[in-house]
């Protein structure tokens, strides 16, 4: 009979491998096992009531788009985007309780109220002279005061044409009209998947930033066109997409004295200008009150642009990380090879520099890339030196995987002073799993990528990550984030855009989710254990004024910053956002969760902004917890 010693000698490899594999398996399962004990504690802190967005019933619904004949075999892939939402104060009641919703099932753009006494939903209609529905389709909506009259206007961006502005006429929302006009003349065909407002050159006026996907001039939605449409040039270094555009605000350059927008796009490199853009984000990263830009690219590296512009003259420097010996290129800023589809900013580590949250494809048993959290090291001077102060920390934080990601958002939903992470997920929902074919494409020759005839079939009924569930991550006491998708819904969803704002003014953040080829919903925060908060409506005005409550005194001061100083020395920092992300646009209001702050505390808040004349202004104000404040920022 074989002795144990003889067996171990003859099977040394097995004897070594079994405990090693067991240790590795347990290590991999540790976060999940720990989550089972942590989640009940976290569960009790979050609860949302779901409310459907209104749907135009007089226009038939469909489940796929008509596309160029050369793209017909992948029509479901081409049809995978278009659902979009934006939150803001359109009716002027002081609350961000109005939503602009793009519905891809019938290409309608509808404005409605998600909370409070509702006005009748209405649609934004461009007219046949501006919009050919057989060749063009809306992809996103922005809320902004373009003509600076204190009333909210809207901008819709499209596949197949340049953006259209809808200018508000009339103060009462029930009787107001929205006049359409095209912002860029010339009949160009753009395929825009990302758009936002920011004061790019620091002149005090909001400019429009556009990120395009397919090549300019294409005929993607023209089912009667001839020839062949070109797709991505490679799987990981595609620089043949549509051009990015920086459109600068110009007074009186539009029709009838309305503002116009001048294309002032600089000589960006081919890699920065023509990456296939799905999301764009802007935040002041170095404290100069100029927005810096993160462009999330499909099939190629994302790009971070440090803004060094002056009034009327744009200048950017591409910021990239430095690769160390043991660092994969995918974990180096600006050198990844993933599929960037969402971007958001938040100061997670409280060093005053916004950190960056990016969605990619990170689906178990499919394409295990990684979502990215670029966490800063506190070195603001790095940007001026052309260096990156960021390290990729998503795996350490527990945020590296969830599914096929789109919009990614940081927000404090329970007001404990820590951010939750919310993420839209899913791609195609059907009954035939096409992941094996997609994996084959991923291992195929780069030279075949540009032609759809070499792609797998993606038609209605095919499924690629159609069983994902919306990701909702909360930070546990172990210092890692834990995904609790059932907080949002128990059903698999194919979602795209996430817009966040306090729609009812109760101090708890709500959100709206735009779903692709499915009903879309608003989620009203009913969390029972919310901590304290302070909220700021920052608006432009001629003089400085501040009052508690919700008021509409002017247009939102996009790009303004606020820093709260807590009694224990904690510093909280946030900025007014102009539309960062994929197809969800959050409210421009600034919200701080404060945790267990004494209700009679008086907190100091540092405000900084650029006036309408482009001058940098700063002011210190004092606030009490548990209130919203409206602040008119003077010149």
């Amino acid at each position: 009979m074989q002795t144990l010693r003889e067996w171990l000698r003859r099977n040394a490899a097995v004897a070594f491998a079994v405990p090693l594999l067991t240790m590795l398996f347990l290590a991999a399962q540790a976060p999940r096992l720990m989550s089972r004990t942590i989640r009940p504690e976290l569960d009790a802190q979050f609860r949302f009531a779901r409310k459907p967005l209104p749907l135009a019933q007089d226009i038939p619904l469909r489940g796929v788009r008509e596309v160029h004949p050369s793209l017909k075999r992948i029509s479901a892939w081409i049809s995978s985007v278009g659902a979009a939402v934006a939150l803001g104060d359109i009716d002027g009641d002081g609350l961000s309780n109005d939503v602009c919703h793009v519905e891809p099932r019938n290409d309608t753009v509808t404005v409605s109220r998600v909370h409070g006494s509702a006005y009748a939903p209405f649609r934004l209609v461009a007219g046949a002279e501006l919009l050919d529905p057989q060749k063009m389709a809306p992809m996103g909506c922005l809320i902004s005061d373009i003509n600076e009259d204190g009333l909210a206007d809207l901008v819709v961006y499209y596949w197949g044409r340049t953006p259209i502005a809808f200018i508000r006429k009339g103060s009462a929302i029930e009787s107001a009209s929205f006049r359409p006009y095209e912002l860029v003349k010339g009949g160009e065909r753009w395929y825009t998947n990302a758009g936002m407002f920011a004061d790019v050159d620091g002149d005090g006026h909001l400019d429009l930033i556009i990120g395009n996907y397919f090549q300019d001039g294409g005929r993607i939605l023209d089912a009667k066109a001839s020839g062949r449409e070109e797709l991505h040039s490679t799987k990981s270094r595609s620089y043949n997409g549509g051009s990015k555009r920086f459109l600068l605000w110009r007074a009186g350059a539009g029709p009838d004295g309305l503002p116009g927008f001048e294309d002032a796009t600089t000589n960006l490199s081919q890699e920065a200008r023509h990456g296939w853009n799905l999301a764009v984000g802007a935040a002041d990263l170095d404290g100069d009150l100029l927005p810096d830009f993160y462009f999330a690219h499909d099939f190629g590296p994302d790009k971070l642009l440090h803004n060094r512009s002056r009034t009327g003259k744009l200048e950017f420097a591409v910021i990239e990380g430095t690769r160390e010996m043991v660092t994969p290129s995918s974990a180096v800023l600006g050198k990844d090879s993933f599929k960037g589809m969402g971007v958001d900013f938040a100061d997670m580590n409280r060093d005053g520099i916004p950190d960056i949250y990016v969605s990619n494809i990170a689906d178990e048993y499919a394409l295990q890339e990684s979502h990215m959290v670029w966490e800063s090291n506190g070195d603001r001077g790095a940007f001026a030196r052309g260096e990156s102060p960021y390290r990729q920390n998503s795996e350490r934080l527990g945020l590296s995987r969830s599914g096929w990601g789109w919009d990614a958002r940081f927000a404090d939903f329970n007001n404990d002073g820590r951010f939750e992470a919310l993420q839209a997920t899913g791609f195609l929902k059907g009954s035939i799993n096409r992941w094996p074919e997609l994996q084959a494409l991923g291992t195929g020759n780069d030279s075949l990528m540009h032609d759809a005839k070499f792609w797998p079939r993606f038609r209605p009924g095919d499924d690629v990550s159609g069983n994902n569930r919306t990701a909702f991550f909360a930070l546990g006491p172990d210092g890692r984030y834990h995904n609790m998708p059932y907080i949002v819904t128990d059903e698999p969803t194919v979602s795209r855009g996430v817009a966040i704002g306090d729609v009812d003014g109760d101090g708890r953040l709500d959100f709206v989710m735009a779903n692709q080829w499915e009903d879309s919903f608003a989620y009203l925060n009913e969390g029972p254990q919310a901590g304290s908060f302070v909220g700021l409506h920052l608006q432009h005005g001629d003089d400085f004024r501040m009052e508690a409550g919700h008021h509409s005194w002017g247009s939102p001061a996009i790009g303004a910053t606020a820093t709260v100083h807590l009694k224990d020395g904690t510093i909280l920092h946030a900025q007014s956002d102009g539309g960062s992300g994929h197809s969800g646009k959050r409210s421009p209001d600034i919200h701080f969760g404060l945790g267990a702050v004494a209700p009679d505390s008086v907190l100091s808040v540092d405000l900084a902004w650029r006036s309408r004349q482009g001058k940098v202004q700063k002011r210190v104000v004092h606030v009490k917890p548990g209130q919203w404040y409206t602040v008119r920022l003077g010149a």
Side-chain angles (χ1 to χ4, degrees), residues 568-583:
D568 62 359
T570 299
I571 297 176
L572 307 176
H573 178 79
Q575 305 180 14
S576 181
D577 183 71
S580 296
H582 171 58
S583 65

Side-chain angles (χ1 to χ4, degrees), residues 7-22:
W7 186 91
L8 289 174
R9 179 176 56 80
R10 295 179 181 179
N11 299 275
V14 174
F16 175 77
V18 169
L20 176 62
L21 290 174
T22 301

Side-chain angles (χ1 to χ4, degrees), residues 297-620:
H297 291 153
D298 202 6
F299 291 91
D302 299 346
K303 293 299 175 185
L304 176 62
L305 305 184
H306 180 231
N307 192 351
R308 301 177 180 179
S309 303
R310 302 180 301 280
T311 299
K313 182 175 176 56
L314 302 189
E315 182 182 350
F316 302 101
V318 176
I319 301 295
E320 293 184 344
T322 301
R323 186 177 181 183
E324 300 172 355
M325 185 175 68
V326 296
T327 307
S329 62
S330 58
V332 179
L333 183 72
K335 298 183 179 181
D336 70 279
S337 58
F338 292 163
K339 317 296 185 297
M341 288 177 284
V343 58
D344 198 22
F345 299 89
D347 185 9
M348 297 181 63
N349 57 8
R350 298 175 177 176
D351 64 357
I353 300 177
D355 306 299
I356 310 171
Y357 183 27
V358 181
S359 276
N360 294 284
I361 303 175
D363 211 347
E364 292 187 0
Y365 311 109
L367 184 57
Q368 289 189 331
E369 293 180 344
S370 173
H371 308 312
M372 297 183 291
V373 178
W374 300 110
E375 194 169 16
S376 74
N377 62 13
D379 183 5
R380 262 191 171 163
F383 298 103
R385 301 192 301 269
E387 301 172 0
S388 166
Y390 290 106
R391 180 178 294 272
Q392 212 291 84
N393 282 334
S394 63
E395 182 65 30
R396 178 181 64 81
L397 292 168
L399 292 170
S400 57
R401 299 188 225 307
S402 66
W404 188 303
W406 293 89
D407 256 345
R409 297 286 180 228
F410 277 133
D412 187 353
F413 288 106
N414 61 348
N415 290 341
D416 66 349
R418 302 180 299 179
F419 294 104
E420 284 70 56
L422 178 64
Q423 194 177 44
T425 61
F427 189 53
L428 304 176
K429 184 180 290 188
S431 57
I432 304 173
N433 184 7
R434 293 295 179 187
W435 258 116
E437 291 94 328
L438 185 56
Q439 294 281 31
L441 177 69
T443 56
N445 194 310
D446 265 358
S447 63
L448 303 180
M449 285 291 297
H450 70 284
D451 195 334
K453 71 182 179 183
F454 297 115
W455 282 49
R457 175 185 181 274
F458 295 110
R459 300 291 300 278
D462 293 332
D463 186 281
V464 178
S465 294
N467 63 344
N468 287 174
R469 293 197 293 169
T470 301
F472 186 92
F473 290 93
L475 186 63
D478 59 340
R480 287 178 58 86
Y481 279 87
H482 300 265
N483 190 8
M484 304 180 294
Y486 45 83
I487 294 294
V488 179
T489 177
D490 285 322
E491 305 164 5
T493 58
V494 175
S495 50
R496 294 292 176 264
V498 181
I500 294 175
D502 182 5
V503 302
D504 52 7
D506 68 353
R508 295 175 295 183
L509 289 176
D510 314 289
F511 67 93
V512 182
M513 181 79 68
N515 296 329
Q516 187 73 18
W517 309 119
E518 302 177 16
D519 290 343
S520 297
F521 297 91
Y523 291 83
L524 304 182
N525 193 340
E526 298 180 345
Q529 298 181 14
S532 191
F533 80 100
V534 67
L536 300 170
H537 305 291
L538 301 183
Q539 302 169 5
H540 280 294
D542 296 329
D543 57 351
F544 191 91
R545 182 182 177 187
M546 175 175 166
E547 287 184 13
H550 308 280
H551 309 286
S552 181
W553 291 338
S555 52
I558 302 301
T561 68
T563 303
V564 175
H565 299 268
L566 300 183
K567 299 296 185 181
D568 62 359
T570 299
I571 297 176
L572 307 176
H573 178 79
Q575 305 180 14
S576 181
D577 183 71
S580 296
H582 171 58
S583 65
K585 311 302 175 185
R586 61 157 34 95
S587 158
D589 299 329
I590 292 179
H591 169 276
F592 293 101
L594 302 177
V597 171
D600 59 348
S601 299
V602 177
L603 306 177
S604 174
V605 182
D606 299 333
L607 301 179
W609 70 96
R610 284 184 183 266
S611 70
R612 289 293 195 202
Q613 292 73 42
K615 295 181 180 179
V616 173
Q617 306 282 354
K618 296 182 179 181
R619 186 137 178 176
V620 178

